[in-house]
Amino acid sequence: MRDQLYINGQWVRPDLGGYFDVLDPASGDLIQRVPAATEEDIDHAVHAARQAFNRGWGQSSGAERGGWLDALADELEGRQDALAVLEVRDNGKPLPEAQWDIADAIGCFRYYAELARELDARQDEPLALPDDRFSCRIRHEPVGVAGQIIPWNYPLLMASWKVAPALAAGATCVLKPSELTPLTALELASAAERIGLPSGVLNVVTGLGSEAGGPLSQHPGVDKLAFTGSVPTGAKIMSAAAADIKNISLELGGKSAFIVFDDADVEAAVEWIMFGIFWNQGQVCSATSRLLVQEGIAQRLLERLVDETRRISIGPGLERGVLLGPLVSAGQHQKVLGMIEQGRQEATLLTGGKRPAHLSHGYFVEPTVFADPADNSRIWREEIFGPVLCVKRFKTEADALRMANDSRFGLAAAVMSADLDRAARVANGLRAGIVWVNCSQPTFTQAPWGGMKQSGIGRELGRWGLENYLEVKQVTEYRSTEPWGWYLK
Ligand code: NAD
């Protein structure tokens, strides 16, 4: 396992020699120590990324970059099983989920390899102008050096959502993974080394938020900041970007609503509701953590939901048959249990709410369901980022929409109904960047990802993810042989 920073194609020790512990959330045991990058390390990494950009990566063809991205995908594919196990040890998630994440990460590199190749054909597209003395062509040029800061819930997948489109666009990267889950990002750096990716094109700096993330977001040599994480950190990144008007994109938190109408199939609803909140221990930005159920179906649905929730097998992610692993860290465990305590004052606890009796170590929490929280309660309004679902009932379609949209977040939402016209109407009325109809959470690399309101700025994935790292340039030419004739008559 790697335990150094990857800067300019070299494995290097941190400038001040500091390290931090990476723990296994299923046991709290040490996995390994990882370098704590400082301002100096960040400076070296940004400098290396700038040189790599100027040395040719920024001017290379999309076809060339597509080849590198495919090679990265091949390299990750060759180590797919080991990467999935490492992800479980680092993050805690059940192995099948980790296997899915790694396959998605590989798919993401392949997808952007294709988009990089397609970009060549889009370069220098003529733009029709209303004055035929002029011609105009449009270029899509890389943004430069990208500083990329990611969270811990999908470690390698979040890295690939950032790195793959940036490299496809011709940008160079300084990636800072979360201090809680840095291990697979270091493996990505290893893959870059093994394929001989030109030095400095991808730099991976592990470190703490304020000591490494802060200097990266403030560095004047960074042209673009791409951040995924919490709203408070997003606000800091935004003010750091303001100092020298950096290009930014922010993927922040959520408190997404799931509306279930009376005519929905109860069994299908129960399954999607559970997937929407218990998948990845509920540590999902788009988790549908606010359930709105129409009155006529509410009792039956809640009975089935509670029943199935109690059956979920909880344990270490590497154990066979486990569907709910530990939360990522002691801090997250405490935070979620604290919100549950608060919830006991604000709503009716239907199931869960504590550490499972059979798991005395590790950061485990039972899947938890609360009913009827007050409109202004914390558990209804704030992101918990754990396996905690809050349920409210509604009467009419208009009520459901109003309640769903009454949030400072706008990342995702889901609606379930047998009446597809109604579902489409509600989907159009939801103030969220992602809306699922008759399901919750399926995510495709091809489709845009991102939120409205305080859930963020910009979109990742799909062609929008590539545009994040491109600057649009017009080249306008005066073609007439006639003088312009403004000053010189
Ligand atoms: P976080 O904001 O605590 O940390 C995210 C990253 O920012 C980490 O790498 C951290 O080291 C770094 N960081 C912390 N302080 C910093 C600072 N002052 N300057 C620069 N960088 C700093 O978030 P988290 O706890 O890692 O992740 C959970 C949050 O991420 C949740 O709110 C979740 O909704 C959000 N999230 C959003 C999406 C999305 O696509 N919208 C996806 C995943 C997670």
Side-chain angles (χ1 to χ4, degrees):
M1 281 189 288
R2 288 296 178 177
D3 62 355
Q4 290 182 310
L5 305 169
Y6 188 67
I7 297 177
N8 206 21
Q10 310 279 325
W11 293 99
V12 294
R13 296 193 180 287
D15 185 61
L16 293 182
Y19 284 77
F20 61 91
D21 293 346
V22 180
L23 306 179
D24 178 344
S27 60
D29 295 343
L30 179 70
I31 306 175
Q32 73 168 82
R33 308 204 74 217
V34 161
T38 60
E39 199 171 343
E40 279 65 30
D41 300 309
I42 297 294
D43 189 49
H44 292 151
V46 172
H47 189 65
R50 172 65 57 199
Q51 284 193 318
F53 183 78
N54 291 342
R55 241 188 347 251
W57 185 261
Q59 299 74 44
S60 59
S61 71
E64 256 174 90
R65 299 192 299 269
W68 287 112
L69 287 167
D70 274 335
L72 267 176
D74 291 343
E75 195 58 39
L76 296 174
E77 203 159 34
R79 304 208 49 240
Q80 204 165 347
D81 292 342
L83 288 170
V85 170
L86 188 60
E87 202 77 301
V88 175
R89 294 191 64 209
D90 205 6
N91 166 280
K93 62 181 68 199
L95 183 61
E97 294 190 20
Q99 286 166 331
W100 201 358
D101 291 1
I102 305 299
D104 268 4
I106 294 163
C108 184
F109 278 101
R110 293 215 191 283
Y111 174 77
Y112 282 106
E114 205 43 52
L115 258 56
R117 287 186 276 267
E118 284 172 21
L119 187 58
D120 287 341
R122 282 166 56 202
Q123 294 294 9
D124 299 313
E125 258 170 348
L127 182 79
L129 297 176
D131 183 334
D132 61 12
R133 291 172 300 170
F134 296 89
S135 72
C136 182
R137 61 191 165 93
I138 300 297
R139 295 189 52 74
H140 306 273
E141 297 189 350
V143 69
V145 173
Q148 304 175 313
I149 301 178
I150 56 171
W152 43 261
N153 58 343
Y154 292 91
L156 187 65
L157 191 57
M158 289 294 106
S160 68
W161 285 21
K162 296 270 183 288
V163 170
L167 298 188
T172 54
C173 303
V174 178
L175 173 73
K176 194 204 85 63
S178 166
E179 53 273 46
L180 296 175
T181 55
L183 301 182
T184 45
L186 291 172
E187 293 301 319
L188 178 62
S190 273
E193 183 190 29
R194 280 197 298 275
I195 64 167
L197 188 71
S199 51
V201 166
L202 171 63
N203 305 275
V204 177
V205 285
T206 53
L208 306 179
S210 50
E211 290 173 13
L216 180 56
S217 59
Q218 290 151 15
H219 199 294
V222 169
D223 301 297
K224 155 95 191 175
L225 279 173
F227 172 75
T228 299
S230 63
V231 173
T233 311
K236 286 184 194 161
I237 302 275
M238 203 166 167
S239 32
D244 48 7
I245 320 290
K246 287 183 178 44
N247 178 326
I248 56 167
S249 47
L250 302 173
E251 298 287 347
L252 308 177
K255 187 80 181 177
S256 301
F258 193 152
I259 301 173
V260 181
F261 285 97
D262 276 350
D263 60 357
D265 177 85
V266 171
E267 294 304 300
V270 165
E271 174 145 49
W272 284 115
I273 291 165
M274 291 173 71
F275 190 65
I277 185 62
F278 300 137
W279 183 44
N280 208 28
Q281 294 67 246
Q283 302 166 134
V284 182
C285 50
S286 58
T288 32
S289 53
R290 289 188 298 145
L291 175 62
L292 290 159
V293 195
Q294 203 164 18
E295 279 178 343
I297 200 180
Q299 173 127 11
R300 229 168 5 118
L301 186 142
L302 286 182
E303 275 168 20
R304 284 290 297 125
L305 178 65
V306 167
D307 215 35
E308 289 299 328
T309 299
R310 289 191 177 135
R311 279 183 226 273
I312 292 178
S313 60
I314 313 172
L318 289 176
E319 233 170 72
R320 245 184 135 71
V322 156
L323 279 176
L324 196 95
L327 302 188
V328 74
S329 65
Q332 190 65 13
H333 190 238
Q334 245 170 20
K335 182 189 153 210
V336 171
L337 286 176
M339 284 299 278
I340 290 174
E341 277 321 295
Q342 170 97 32
R344 288 175 195 272
Q345 325 297 318
E346 296 176 336
T348 307
L349 179 67
L350 298 185
T351 185
K354 54 183 190 321
R355 171 187 279 283
H358 69 290
L359 292 161
S360 56
H361 298 295
Y363 314 131
F364 295 94
V365 176
E366 289 175 341
T368 300
V369 181
F370 281 108
D372 308 321
D375 282 347
N376 59 359
S377 58
R378 280 186 68 201
I379 57 162
W380 184 249
R381 305 201 80 84
E382 291 181 23
E383 184 182 48
I384 299 175
F385 223 57
V388 182
L389 178 68
C390 297
V391 190
K392 275 169 96 69
R393 294 156 219 255
F394 69 88
K395 284 195 172 74
T396 65
E397 181 180 322
D399 286 345
L401 253 186
R402 182 186 44 74
M403 290 162 85
N405 285 336
D406 180 17
S407 170
R408 68 186 170 109
F409 297 111
L411 183 55
V415 52
M416 202 153 196
S417 172
D419 176 347
L420 292 182
D421 289 337
R422 170 162 67 184
R425 218 166 39 235
V426 171
N428 294 349
L430 284 162
R431 293 282 298 155
I434 304 150
V435 177
W436 288 290
V437 175
N438 290 338
C439 61
S440 174
Q441 307 305 317
T443 299
F444 296 93
T445 312
Q446 293 74 11
W449 183 270
M452 300 181 182
K453 302 193 256 181
Q454 289 186 27
S455 289
I457 297 177
R459 295 292 179 269
E460 291 193 305
L461 295 185
R463 58 186 163 82
W464 301 269
L466 186 71
E467 304 302 327
N468 252 335
Y469 295 95
L470 289 170
E471 296 279 13
V472 181
K473 178 192 272 185
Q474 59 155 303
V475 180
T476 298
E477 184 185 331
Y478 185 60
R479 293 194 308 187
S480 167
T481 51
E482 298 294 312
W484 180 231
W486 191 272
Y487 291 109
L488 308 178
K489 302 282 181 198

